[in-house]
Amino acid sequence: MNGKIFGIIGISILMSACGNQVQTPDPRFMPGNITNETSTNNSNLPGYMQCSQTINIRNSGGDLSKEYRACGVQGSMGSIRIYPVIQNSEPVCVFPSQGGTPIVYGNQYIAQCGSLTSAGTVLNFQGFNLNSIYVVPQSRASQFSQCLYYQNPSACANQSGFTYAFGQI
């Protein structure tokens, strides 16, 4: 019986440790790296014809204002184009991943932060091979890095009182 109690206490301690340590994203990929694309190719096409026609980056809490359409930029490994479903002025951070596993460089999670535009925003993750992304409010980027570190972003983000978006590109 005492073993079970100690086990439950141990699990509780591990889950509550989610926000106790601060591990910030690599500063090379922080604010200022998101740029709006001024494409000469297909510039006459509306955004929905240049990228995914359906929402493919879904919010963990079902908040439509925090969902996105995203796709790879043809001929540019590691570059994606992302459209917010609803224009929101809140800056976000985008964490690239391969199969749901966040990409790490120099012992830090890679992320790019800034505001997205309804015209589409291109992010370049400098040749990293990615096929999915996490999107979180910029104000929660450090906390979300910790959630990724503990390999349970859903429970950790929920416990910390915020949601994130995730999906395949």
Side-chain angles (χ1 to χ4, degrees), residues 124-139:
N124 183 359
F125 291 101
Q126 302 177 357
F128 285 100
N129 187 16
L130 60 108
N131 66 2
S132 53
I133 59 172
Y134 292 90
V135 182
V136 297
Q138 185 173 342
S139 61

Side-chain angles (χ1 to χ4, degrees), residues 93-117:
C93 288
V94 177
F95 291 79
S97 64
Q98 176 65 9
T101 302
I103 297 175
V104 176
Y105 181 80
N107 295 323
Q108 293 182 323
Y109 294 105
I110 294 175
Q112 287 189 24
C113 302
S115 296
L116 303 176
T117 69

Side-chain angles (χ1 to χ4, degrees), residues 58-82:
R58 298 275 181 186
N59 183 267
S60 62
D63 185 348
L64 185 62
S65 71
K66 295 179 181 177
E67 293 191 339
Y68 310 89
R69 293 183 303 115
C71 59
V73 175
Q74 189 172 5
S76 182
M77 187 171 124
S79 292
I80 60 170
R81 182 178 296 119
I82 185 168

Side-chain angles (χ1 to χ4, degrees), residues 83-100:
Y83 298 86
V85 172
I86 297 174
Q87 186 59 47
N88 189 340
S89 61
E90 179 181 34
V92 297
C93 288
V94 177
F95 291 79
S97 64
Q98 176 65 9

Side-chain angles (χ1 to χ4, degrees), residues 17-91:
C18 176
N20 292 344
Q21 298 177 359
V22 176
Q23 180 181 7
T24 59
D26 189 322
R28 291 173 299 154
F29 300 100
M30 291 301 283
N33 290 335
I34 291 180
T35 58
N36 296 329
E37 180 184 52
T38 54
S39 173
T40 55
N41 293 341
N42 300 327
S43 60
N44 296 329
L45 294 176
Y48 72 87
M49 294 178 74
Q50 296 177 9
C51 199
S52 173
Q53 293 185 27
T54 59
I55 298 168
N56 58 339
I57 311 301
R58 298 275 181 186
N59 183 267
S60 62
D63 185 348
L64 185 62
S65 71
K66 295 179 181 177
E67 293 191 339
Y68 310 89
R69 293 183 303 115
C71 59
V73 175
Q74 189 172 5
S76 182
M77 187 171 124
S79 292
I80 60 170
R81 182 178 296 119
I82 185 168
Y83 298 86
V85 172
I86 297 174
Q87 186 59 47
N88 189 340
S89 61
E90 179 181 34

